[in-house]
Amino acid sequence: MKHESTKIPQATTKRLPLYYRFIQNFAKAGQERVSSKELSEAMKIESATIRRDFSHFGALGKKGYGYDVQKMLAFFRNILDQDERMNVALIGVGNLGNAFLKYNFQKNHNTKIVVAFDTKAPLEGKMISGIPVYHPDALEDKFVEYGAELPILTVPSRSAQMMTDRLVKMNVRGILNFTPIRISVPDSIRVHTIDLSIELQTLIYFMRNDEE
């Protein structure tokens, strides 16, 4: 993001892509302006939270008028770098990896999986869901050849740190980790770990406690 994200709360940062998606929906519906109340009802987020999130970026709207939809679109496109394509490399094409290849960020035209790696693929590569898949032995060469910037890690746990170490040597800036282990990287590399089992257990906990 082009703003200094260290000064913006992480919870706010995570909501920015959601704001952009919902503003896009209002634009597609031909709406010229939108209020925080309308956004709140559409997104199921409190109006006060939306106003507080937006306050981190200065005066985005006017009291009594709301937010100009086209100006908001331009703002979020800029802050989320939507005018700059992000090429993604998928590392590990098991069940989850195959799902990623089939989906391939269909709702985000500026983020695409351009290359993938899997131990069952030949060194010369093969096509899966229209994406070239190579053996990990070709990682360093093909990652650069296809202009990949962001790796998604969906390999088995036993291979996660080894693949991470190779990515670190390639000077990647971030890794989206779908393995259940906490990978170790230098402070200069940002890692987002998504453990589906933990997310599921957390959801079950809240569901059960909401019933009490």
Side-chain angles (χ1 to χ4, degrees), residues 79-118:
I79 196 173
L80 295 170
D81 287 332
Q82 288 299 300
D83 292 326
E84 298 179 21
R85 176 165 167 159
M86 175 64 73
N87 290 335
V88 175
L90 179 68
I91 303 176
V93 188
N95 292 334
L96 180 58
N98 262 300
F100 270 120
L101 288 182
K102 291 177 181 178
Y103 171 65
N104 203 359
F105 304 101
Q106 293 173 11
K107 293 183 179 180
N108 188 339
H109 300 298
N110 293 83
T111 304
K112 295 292 181 185
I113 297 173
V114 294
V115 65
F117 302 91
D118 191 78

